[in-house]
Amino acid sequence: MAMNMAGSPGGGRRGRRRAVMAEINVTPMVDVMLVLLIIFMVSAPLLTVGVPLDLPQTQAKSLEQDKTPLQLSVDVKGRVFINDTEVAMNELVPKLKAITDARGGLDERIFMRADKKADYGTVARVMGQLSGAGFKRLALVTEVEQGS
């Protein structure tokens, strides 16, 4: 009788096996994707140019661009930046020449951003150095004018 109890279906767990689960559980993957989506939505606006400037407003249209532009910025305090890196005024032309030689020569378009409260003399001095060094494709960046 003891043998019959061990072999019975309700007796123990040794004789039973679970069926193989053939479905993929996508709930954890969806949870991870939603968290990543929220992280990217929050961090995307923070990935813009790091030099905070108050740009002047104009009615000019934006230029079409196929690669990342080379940006030169002048802030209120008169500091000069190449993209996000601060550069001394006497190092500006050699660093720009090194960057443009790697990217396509003096024919590279340079976008100049200057705070509307920046010293006009500093902006003119930077533009004069660029012109004297042979950079001919200089574009001034502004914001679209609001209102009428």
Side-chain angles (χ1 to χ4, degrees), residues 49 69-73 81-84 110-113 141:
V49 177
L70 181 60
Q71 293 191 6
L72 191 67
S73 304
F81 297 84
I82 297 176
N83 289 338
D84 292 336
I110 298 172
F111 289 96
M112 184 162 178
R113 303 170 64 235
V141 178

Side-chain angles (χ1 to χ4, degrees), residues 43-61:
S43 64
L46 303 175
L47 298 176
T48 58
V49 177
V51 181
L53 298 175
D54 187 16
L55 295 174
Q57 296 180 352
T58 63
Q59 294 179 358
K61 303 287 183 212

Side-chain angles (χ1 to χ4, degrees), residues 87-107:
V87 178
M89 191 68 86
N90 57 353
E91 299 174 352
L92 177 63
V93 173
K95 285 192 176 188
L96 269 177
K97 281 194 176 189
I99 292 170
T100 55
D101 286 344
R103 291 178 61 151
L106 293 177
D107 204 32

Side-chain angles (χ1 to χ4, degrees), residues 51-56 72-79 112-120 123 141:
V51 181
L53 298 175
D54 187 16
L55 295 174
L72 191 67
S73 304
V74 179
D75 69 356
V76 177
K77 298 176 183 175
R79 297 180 299 184
M112 184 162 178
R113 303 170 64 235
D115 194 290
K116 66 181 174 183
K117 294 181 182 174
D119 181 42
Y120 182 72
V123 176
V141 178

Side-chain angles (χ1 to χ4, degrees), residues 29-41:
M29 183 182 69
V30 170
D31 290 343
V32 169
M33 290 300 151
L34 286 175
V35 169
L36 287 175
L37 176 69
I38 291 170
I39 290 171
F40 288 133
M41 285 173 53

